DNA sequence: CAGTATCCAATATGATACTG
DNA sequence: CAGTATCATATTGGATACTG
């Protein structure tokens, strides 16, 4: 597995490269919420549990720099900013789903019924 | 996406959980080399470019604790230690391959022919 | 051979306060 | 509304030396 350099950054292998794009704690939660429709900054913030403004801003900046997410600013007062998946972002959603399904399977083998957690979450209103 | 707790550790979503198992810089290189056959500590160390003893030891410990890799020690002098994939480790290899294929595709779109890099590496002897 | 131990730098994340 | 700025802590990774 030879090293690869892109934009002066080194990757040890192709998996390493993908995990730079979608890895870390906060990028997947953002991508996952944008998969159905575009969202505003505040919508993402309200929708992603535990995320801080700092981490949301950082995740969005990196996703935009890597071409997975686009940002559209409307020059209104107060400003309106819309984040959406790019073609590259859309391309990566099936991979996220695949990893997610593995996770749900592994959780099941650890005795955690994730689908049930989801259903209970929806029953309690949020 | 509700939080999940396993062994007192919190995960924000199933992808987060999978990336705890195989994420980081060094776990995939280890898993990838064990996919064909078991290897000794020193074989892994020699085979994985840039890895330090500290990081190899840490990756192996975590992979073992998470049940992806098994460790067999032969009480000889000097000691012989064999690392192998468990059933759970084998189960995750196709996922690693899927992520890897996405990486190779994305690299191609960034103008990097990874398969060609592999071929050149083999021609030059290593 | 198969690791430990120690020191150090860089990065990730969180908490809080502030702003055009 | 959509962020920045600052401070603090925890984790990651590298370098080097040492050991049963």
């Amino acid at each position: 597995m030879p090293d690869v350099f892109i934009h002066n950054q080194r990757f040890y292998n192709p998996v390493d490269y993908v995990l730079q794009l979608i890895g870390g704690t906060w990028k997947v939660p953002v991508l996952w919420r944008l998969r159905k429709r575009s969202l505003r900054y505040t919508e993402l913030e309200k929708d992603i549990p535990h995320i801080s403004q700092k981490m949301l801003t950082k995740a969005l900046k990196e996703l935009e720099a890597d071409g997975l997410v686009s940002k559209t600013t409307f020059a209104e007062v107060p400003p309106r900013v819309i984040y959406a998946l790019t073609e590259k972002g859309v391309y990566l959603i099936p991979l996220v789903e695949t990893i997610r399904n593995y996770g749900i399977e592994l959780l099941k083998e650890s005795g955690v019924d994730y689908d049930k957690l989801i259903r209970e979450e929806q029953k309690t209103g949020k």
Side-chain angles (χ1 to χ4, degrees), chain A:
Chain A
M1 297 167 118
D3 300 354
V4 176
F5 285 85
I6 292 190
H7 307 132
N8 278 335
Q9 235 213 311
R10 178 178 56 188
F11 305 101
Y12 290 148
N13 55 68
V15 176
D16 194 15
Y17 182 57
V18 171
L19 294 187
Q20 297 287 329
L21 295 180
I22 66 167
T25 308
W26 300 115
K27 287 180 181 178
V28 161
V30 170
L31 293 172
W32 191 247
R33 277 157 185 84
L34 293 179
R35 80 192 187 284
K36 294 278 185 179
R37 62 186 189 90
S38 315
L39 291 169
R40 304 175 64 155
Y41 181 91
T42 314
E43 293 179 301
L44 286 166
E45 192 184 0
K46 276 188 293 195
D47 222 47
I48 300 174
H50 312 294
I51 200 169
S52 63
Q53 289 191 325
K54 178 178 168 180
M55 285 301 113
L56 176 55
T57 300
K58 192 185 172 214
L60 288 170
K61 268 194 184 355
E62 291 179 9
L63 289 169
E64 197 193 351
D66 290 332
L68 275 63
V69 161
S70 68
K71 171 181 176 176
T72 309
T73 306
F74 295 88
E76 309 166 357
V77 179
R80 184 160 52 101
V81 179
I82 300 294
Y83 291 95
L85 291 187
T86 62
E87 191 182 335
K88 188 173 176 182
V90 171
Y91 172 72
L92 278 163
I93 290 296
L95 176 61
V96 174
E97 287 194 72
T98 299
I99 301 173
R100 188 170 183 275
N101 289 334
Y102 265 84
I104 292 173
E105 242 353 273
L106 290 165
L107 286 171
K108 196 167 294 173
E109 281 161 37
S110 294
V112 177
D113 187 340
Y114 189 75
D115 292 328
K116 190 180 169 191
L117 289 179
I118 294 273
R119 288 195 301 275
E120 285 169 1
E121 189 181 51
Q122 282 162 350
K123 263 193 293 185
T124 61
K126 179 60 191 297

